[in-house]
Amino acid sequence: MIEGFTALYIFMLAAFTGYEVIARVPVILHTPLMSGSNFVHGIVLVGAMVALGHAQTGLEQTIGFIAVVFAAGNAVGGYVVTERMLEMFKSSQGGTK
């Protein structure tokens, strides 16, 4: 397992990389990028379920359950926002020609 400073180093490196990538994306693409990345966060849901599966005490199970609920909400929210954005790009079918 990754522990201590190694985990902190990886977290800081990921945060720096994410900041640099997002900073170079044009402003008009921020919302599609963020909605797409929200549903990619489904991996967080998998991690939360794994953590919940390994929980042994009541406190660990409670924290794991809360993590699963938040991760599921984030993934579902990503799908909802993406769907709404895709609706914005569809042409209206019932308009006058």
Side-chain angles (χ1 to χ4, degrees), residues 3-61:
E3 293 183 16
F5 286 111
T6 304
L8 181 62
Y9 176 73
I10 291 172
F11 176 76
M12 290 173 48
L13 189 60
F16 176 75
T17 303
Y19 177 78
E20 288 297 320
V21 168
I22 295 298
R24 287 174 169 67
V25 173
V27 174
I28 195 166
L29 295 178
H30 277 192
T31 304
L33 177 67
M34 295 313 293
S35 70
S37 66
N38 270 350
F39 76 84
V40 170
H41 284 151
I43 193 67
V44 174
L45 179 59
V46 173
M49 289 190 296
V50 169
L52 181 60
H54 291 290
Q56 296 178 353
T57 67
L59 179 63
E60 291 173 348
Q61 291 173 346

Side-chain angles (χ1 to χ4, degrees), residues 56-90:
Q56 296 178 353
T57 67
L59 179 63
E60 291 173 348
Q61 291 173 346
T62 302
I63 292 172
F65 177 75
I66 292 171
V68 168
V69 169
F70 284 159
N74 190 22
V76 170
Y79 279 112
V80 170
V81 170
T82 302
E83 182 66 27
R84 290 185 70 185
M85 287 187 44
L86 291 176
E87 289 291 325
M88 291 172 44
F89 292 107
K90 289 183 180 175

